[in-house]
Structure formats: structure tokens, C-alpha cells
């Protein structure tokens, strides 16, 4: 394998590209969750229907927030890196950086800057934003729909065999239970078999 100054630069660039790609995956997931929450809040709290233009604006606003967050992270790591160069002794905890951590901090700083740049490019990419909105809408539907189904339980959908024997159950209800209720009204002695009132 060839060695030399160019080889090291290529390896560092690959590590940086990998860090930026991973950072973008994480940030995209956070973006979808934020837009999902916006859609659900708008529907449940404000009683407003889904509006693609509103969701698109929310997605772009969230991208702006994430760009600012990544830029601030890069600034914070740069400050840490500069202080680390003047640190001596053994590290006391995981955030107590030392000179041997400088390369890792440089990579983190560069990755945050790279993610911020990539997000800035994607902010004006209509296809990317539309994909985020579609994913958020789908996730919102799944989240809200599942909540409704969980609350309704079996009432959300009857059993597949519900219609089997329905005419017989209705006849039993009319000729048996309702007739018994009518008789019970007059003498109060006839019990009702409530098990036949629910489908089996």
C-alpha cells in the first residue's frame, strides 16, 4: 500500500466524508421527527388539515435551526480544541480533553461544518424537502392512526367472522332476550342471558 503525505490526506478526507454522511442521516431523522410533530400538533391542537405548503415551510425553518445548531457545535468544538492544546496531565473524565484528542476534535469540528454546508444546500432542494415532508406526513398518520386503533381496540374493526350467523343471533335476540325482557317487565322474574347479546 502506498504511503506518503497524499495518502494521509485521502484517509482523513474519507473519515470526514463518512462523518458528514452519518451526521446527515442523524440530522435528517431529527428533521422528519420535528416536521411530524408540527403536523400532529397542527391537526390535534389547532384542528387544521394537512397543508403541504405549511409543512414545507416548517421543514425549511427546521433546516435553518439545524444549520445554526451544527454551526454552533463547530464553534464550540473549535474552542475546546484550542483549550485542549494547552492542557496537561491525565484526563479526569470523558469531556476533559488532552492534546492526544486534538485530531478527533478537528474531525468533529470539520464534520459539523460539513453537515451545516450540506443542509444549507438541501434547504433549497425542492425534492429533498418534499421527501422530508412526505416521510413526516406518513409518520404522523402512522402515529395518530395507531393511537386511535389502540384506544378503540376491537371496535375499530369487527372480527372477520362477525357476519357469520348474524341472522340467527338477531332472531335469538328478538325471540329470546327481548321477549324475556318484555315478560320480565310484567313479573320481574325472567332472567336475561346477556351472553347472547355480544357476538361470539
Amino acid at each position: 500500500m502506498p504511503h506518503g503525505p497524499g495518502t494521509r490526506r485521502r484517509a482523513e478526507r474519507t473519515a470526514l466524508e463518512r462523518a458528514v454522511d452519518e451526521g446527515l442521516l442523524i440530522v435528517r431523522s431529527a428533521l422528519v421527527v420535528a416536521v411530524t410533530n408540527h403536523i400532529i400538533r397542527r391537526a390535534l391542537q389547532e384542528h387544521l388539515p394537512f397543508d403541504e405548503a405549511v409543512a414545507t415551510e416548517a421543514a425549511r425553518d427546521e433546516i435553518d435551526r439545524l444549520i445554526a445548531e451544527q454551526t454552533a457545535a463547530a464553534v464550540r468544538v473549535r474552542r475546546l480544541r484550542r483549550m485542549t492544546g494547552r492542557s496537561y496531565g491525565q484526563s479526569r473524565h470523558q469531556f476533559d480533553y488532552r492534546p492526544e484528542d486534538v485530531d478527533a476534535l478537528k474531525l468533529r469540528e470539520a464534520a459539523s461544518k460539513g453537515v451545516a454546508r450540506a443542509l444549507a444546500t438541501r434547504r433549497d432542494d425542492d425534492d429533498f424537502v418534499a421527501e422530508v415532508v412526505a416521510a413526516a406526513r406518513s409518520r404522523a398518520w402512522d402515529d395518530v392512526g395507531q393511537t386511535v386503533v389502540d384506544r378503540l381496540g376491537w371496535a375499530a374493526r369487527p372480527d372477520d367472522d362477525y357476519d357469520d350467523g348474524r341472522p340467527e343471533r338477531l332472531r335469538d335476540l328478538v325471540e329470546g332476550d327481548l321477549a324475556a325482557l318484555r315478560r320480565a317487565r310484567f313479573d320481574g322474574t325472567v332472567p336475561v342471558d346477556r351472553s347472547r347479546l355480544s357476538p361470539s
Side-chain angles (χ1 to χ4, degrees):
M1 183 176 228
H3 295 286
T7 306
R8 182 174 179 188
R9 278 199 299 275
R10 279 196 298 277
E12 287 173 352
R13 198 161 50 243
T14 302
L16 176 58
E17 288 169 356
R18 189 167 55 251
V20 169
D21 288 345
E22 289 171 0
L24 272 174
L25 284 174
I26 293 167
V27 165
R28 186 191 176 282
S29 294
L31 177 59
V32 170
V33 168
V35 178
T36 299
N37 291 341
H38 171 82
I39 293 169
I40 291 173
R41 190 168 52 250
R42 184 176 153 83
L44 298 183
Q45 291 179 354
E46 300 174 33
H47 308 289
L48 293 170
F50 174 77
D51 185 321
E52 188 167 357
V54 172
T56 298
E57 183 181 352
R60 288 201 162 104
D61 288 347
E62 185 63 19
I63 291 172
D64 287 339
R65 191 191 70 75
L66 290 167
I67 290 169
E69 186 179 273
Q70 290 297 313
T71 303
V75 169
R76 193 168 53 251
V77 173
R78 183 171 63 243
R79 280 197 206 112
L80 272 173
R81 181 172 55 79
R82 287 177 177 165
M83 291 186 324
T84 297
R86 298 188 296 269
S87 299
Y88 299 99
Q90 285 196 329
S91 176
R92 291 184 297 270
H93 53 78
Q94 61 181 351
F95 300 112
D96 186 18
Y97 299 107
R98 293 294 178 238
E100 58 269 22
D101 299 314
V102 167
D103 287 343
L105 291 172
K106 277 183 184 175
L107 179 61
R108 277 178 52 192
E109 178 186 347
S112 291
K113 288 178 181 176
V115 170
R117 279 193 301 270
L119 280 174
T121 301
R122 284 161 174 76
R123 186 199 184 282
D124 298 319
D125 181 343
D126 291 338
D127 290 339
F128 175 79
V129 175
E131 181 188 309
V132 166
V133 168
R137 184 182 190 186
S138 175
R139 182 175 175 144
W141 175 257
D142 289 345
D143 288 354
V144 173
Q146 189 58 53
T147 299
V148 170
V149 169
D150 289 346
R151 288 188 181 176
L152 291 178
W154 71 269
R157 181 176 176 276
D159 292 338
D160 292 334
D161 62 350
Y162 176 75
D163 288 334
D164 297 347
R166 187 168 183 261
E168 292 82 9
R169 288 197 308 273
L170 287 172
R171 188 178 58 249
D172 288 347
L173 174 66
V174 172
E175 295 174 1
D177 294 323
L178 293 179
L181 283 172
R182 184 171 181 193
R183 287 191 303 274
R185 179 176 171 201
F186 295 107
D187 63 16
T189 59
V190 180
V192 177
D193 181 4
R194 297 187 182 279
S195 67
R196 293 199 322 213
L197 293 177
S198 59
S200 55

